[in-house]
Amino acid sequence: SAVISQKPSRDICQRGTSLTIQCQVDSQVTMMFWYRQQPGQSLTLIATANQGSEATYESGFVIDKFPISRPNLTFSTLTVSNMSPEDSSIYLCSAWDGSSYEQYFGPGTRLTVT
Amino acid sequence: RKEVEQDPGPFNVPEGATVAFNCTYSNSASQSFFWYRQDCRKEPKLLMSVYSSGNEDGRFTAQLNRASQYISLLIRDSKLSDSATYLCVVKPHGNQFYFGTGTSLTVIP
C-alpha cells in the first residue's frame, strides 16, 4: 500500500488569495488524483495529475482556478487560486497503484476561506 | 444518470444486527468495484475490493451482480466501531474512479 502525506492539514485563508497544497507519496505510483469533499458530501474529482504533462480536469474545474503540478511519480501540488468562500472544503490527494487497482488517500487539507 | 448511486441512509442499527447496503452503477463495462469506509473528518480507506465471485472478509461480505449492475456490502454482527460512511466505488476502463455519495451507518449500543 501507499502512504500519502499532505500539507498543510488545514488553513484559513482570506478571499482573493491562493493556497498551494502539497501531496507526497512514499512510493512511485501510476496515477495521482485531486478530489474535493464538501461537508456531508461525497468526493468530487477535480483532476488527474499527470506526470510531466498538464493535468486532466473534470467538468466544472479549470486550470486557471486549480493549477496542478506533478513533477515526478511521487509528488503533486494543487493550487486553489483567487479563493472565495465557496472554495471552503476538504481537498484530498489520492494515488492509484496500477498493479492492484486500489486507490489510497491522503489525510486531506481542510480549507476555510473567509 | 449518475455513474454510481447509493442509498444515503442513515442506517441506525443495534449492536449485533446484520445490515446490508446496495449500490448501482450505470456503466455496464465497469471492471473493478470497491467498498471504502470513511470515518467522520477522516479520509476514505479501502475496506474491500469486490470480486465477481463475491468475497468475504470476517464479518464483511461483498457481492457483485453484473446482470443487474449492483454491488452489495453485508455486515454481520455489527459493532459500534462499524459506525462510519461506506462509499461504493466503481472503476470502468481507464483511469477514472467513480464514488457514490456514501451510506451512513450508526451502530447503537
Side-chain angles (χ1 to χ4, degrees), chain A residues 10 31 33 35 37 40-43 45 48 58 92 96 100-108 110, chain B residues 32 34 36 38 41-46 49 51 87 89 91 94-102:
Chain A
R10 59 177 63 231
M31 306 290 292
F33 305 95
Y35 290 87
Q37 188 173 29
Q41 305 290 317
S42 189
L43 286 77
L45 180 64
T48 302
E58 297 302 304
L92 291 151
W96 172 34
S100 69
Y101 295 100
E102 295 179 7
Q103 191 174 174
Y104 301 93
F105 286 86
R110 186 176 299 272
Chain B
S32 304
F34 310 91
Y36 278 72
Q38 186 172 26
R41 302 175 77 87
K42 298 285 190 180
E43 73 274 20
K45 292 186 178 178
L46 179 67
S49 302
Y51 304 119
L87 300 166
V89 182
K91 183 182 175 302
N95 303 326
Q96 181 71 280
F97 289 78
Y98 293 100
F99 283 77
T101 53

Side-chain angles (χ1 to χ4, degrees), chain A residues 7-35:
Chain A
K7 57 182 180 181
S9 59
R10 59 177 63 231
D11 208 340
I12 301 173
C13 301
Q14 289 194 340
R15 180 196 302 259
T17 62
S18 298
L19 175 71
T20 295
I21 304 168
Q22 298 181 9
C23 177
Q24 180 73 54
V25 189
D26 69 341
S27 58
Q28 294 185 350
V29 290
T30 307
M31 306 290 292
M32 294 180 73
F33 305 95
W34 286 98
Y35 290 87

